[in-house]
Amino acid sequence: MSELNKEVVDLVWGRPSSGGVSASIFRRWTQGFVFSENEQTALEQFEGGPCAVIAPVQAFLLKNILFSRESSSWRQMTEEEQKAALCSTLSEILESACSSPSTGFCLVTWAKGQSPHTSTHTNTQTQTQTQSQSQTQDMPEPESSQPPQEQQPTALAAEDLGFERFHSVLHKRTVMSVSGLREEVLSLYHTWRGCCGVLLFLYSVILTKGIENIRNEIQDTMEPLIDPVHGHGSQSLVNLLVTGHAVSNVWDGDRECSGMKLHGIHKQASVGFLTLMESLRYCKEMSLVGPESPSEQARRVFQSFDPEGKNEGPFPSSSPLLLFTLDSGIPDSFPIYHYNGLKQSNHNERVEYVEGTALVLGFEDPMVRTDDTPVKRCLQTKWPYIELLWTTDRSPSLN
């Protein structure tokens, strides 16, 4: 493994015990970006773990489909449209992560002749060759430009592709322009869809951002981007993909705590991020998720007197507090679609959107209370008095 690869491994996986990353954890991350057979604009996730990458990509994908396509049927796409939408989305995230255009963009792919569908063995000479780097003018690997004939570009890694083997056959390309990046990403479509496509993209984002830049943004540099024990992505990893910055917190700007500077979010991203952790008071998001309505502003002021949520404040409990909003900027109701890429978390194991209607109220009304699900509690971190009406008999799952 080259020194560069070792730095990436330490950043992503940490420095696990002598046993290394377990085969079962690594296997969860060896899938590609695969569209659901039942929902043409939804990506499928095979096992728990890579949602930290797949979910942000899905969010940007839908944003691009909704606002960049002329077609009004956002749930219908041909294979060619899927290719264009996915590659455009991956390019956008890479552009967001790039700290300095002068350093270019890095794409991590298989070394020539070493992708799982073309080779199941290697030798010392080949391993030595895979540690080299190339510039844009290098010829792309033949297998990246054409779909593999002997394997469908869907699934988990070949049985003999383990953690060490994977990192011994990686190849880094440098692209110096945005137009060149988009062309290269498009030419690698079948690589992103195939075995380990999610990891190859993640490593591309990391090297494009710069290992040292990421370390400077992460609050705890000893915390890996992927938990080597449970396989889940960290908040820094999610933030890197959503905002281009690998900060560890979700609040606005930076904060001081006992003389230590804690980095937060400095700029509103083009897709939103809400977390169930906020409803459990593990973290706090503020205005960067969207403009604050007058009623929300009043509620925030009131809550400043009641940080523990005990309904205590500057007004006696017998005094009613009436909040009137003339123009909140938020519709009273809007359609909502829930996505979960795990088959086992979907009805009949079909990855499909669950459609519903969100009702945004100015106050809690027991007469229209619907349910108390994690999905609703997550949305309540933005709209405290939201109610959800689903078109299905069962509420969708966050798990």
Side-chain angles (χ1 to χ4, degrees), residues 350-368:
R350 293 165 58 93
V351 176
E352 296 176 304
Y353 302 122
V354 179
E355 186 177 355
T357 300
L359 305 175
V360 180
L361 309 176
F363 54 90
E364 187 172 15
D365 186 347
M367 299 298 293
V368 295

Side-chain angles (χ1 to χ4, degrees), residues 90-107 173-179 181 201-211 213-214 217 239-246 267:
L90 300 184
S91 297
E92 178 182 0
I93 295 174
L94 284 164
E95 291 172 40
S96 173
C98 185
S99 299
S100 173
S102 63
T103 61
F105 306 90
C106 292
L107 295 176
R173 286 186 213 176
T174 302
V175 184
M176 298 308 298
S177 68
V178 172
S179 59
L181 170 70
F201 173 68
L202 172 59
Y203 284 18
S204 299
V205 171
I206 289 171
L207 291 181
T208 294
K209 173 72 175 181
I211 293 175
N213 290 328
I214 293 176
E217 292 177 345
N239 286 348
L240 173 61
L241 295 168
V242 173
T243 71
H245 298 280
K267 183 180 178 182

Side-chain angles (χ1 to χ4, degrees), residues 320-371:
L321 176 65
L322 302 179
L323 302 177
F324 295 96
T325 303
L326 296 178
D327 182 13
S328 67
I330 300 174
D332 293 334
S333 67
F334 53 85
I336 185 170
Y337 292 85
H338 176 269
Y339 156 83
N340 189 324
L342 286 167
K343 271 188 176 182
Q344 58 267 34
S345 297
N346 286 265
H347 185 54
N348 294 330
E349 296 194 346
R350 293 165 58 93
V351 176
E352 296 176 304
Y353 302 122
V354 179
E355 186 177 355
T357 300
L359 305 175
V360 180
L361 309 176
F363 54 90
E364 187 172 15
D365 186 347
M367 299 298 293
V368 295
R369 181 160 185 157
T370 51
D371 55 20

Side-chain angles (χ1 to χ4, degrees), residues 131-190:
Q131 295 176 3
S132 64
Q133 299 179 8
S134 71
Q135 299 299 316
T136 312
Q137 60 265 32
D138 287 357
M139 291 298 292
E141 301 90 325
E143 61 266 26
S144 68
S145 59
Q146 296 296 330
Q149 299 301 315
E150 55 267 45
Q151 172 186 313
Q152 292 299 317
T154 57
L156 305 175
E159 291 299 321
D160 61 344
L161 183 65
F163 186 83
E164 295 293 333
R165 160 111 174 108
F166 169 74
H167 289 95
S168 72
V169 293
L170 298 182
H171 177 78
K172 173 191 166 187
R173 286 186 213 176
T174 302
V175 184
M176 298 308 298
S177 68
V178 172
S179 59
L181 170 70
R182 294 174 181 173
E183 289 177 9
E184 289 291 307
V185 169
L186 190 63
S187 74
L188 291 166
Y189 174 64
H190 296 288

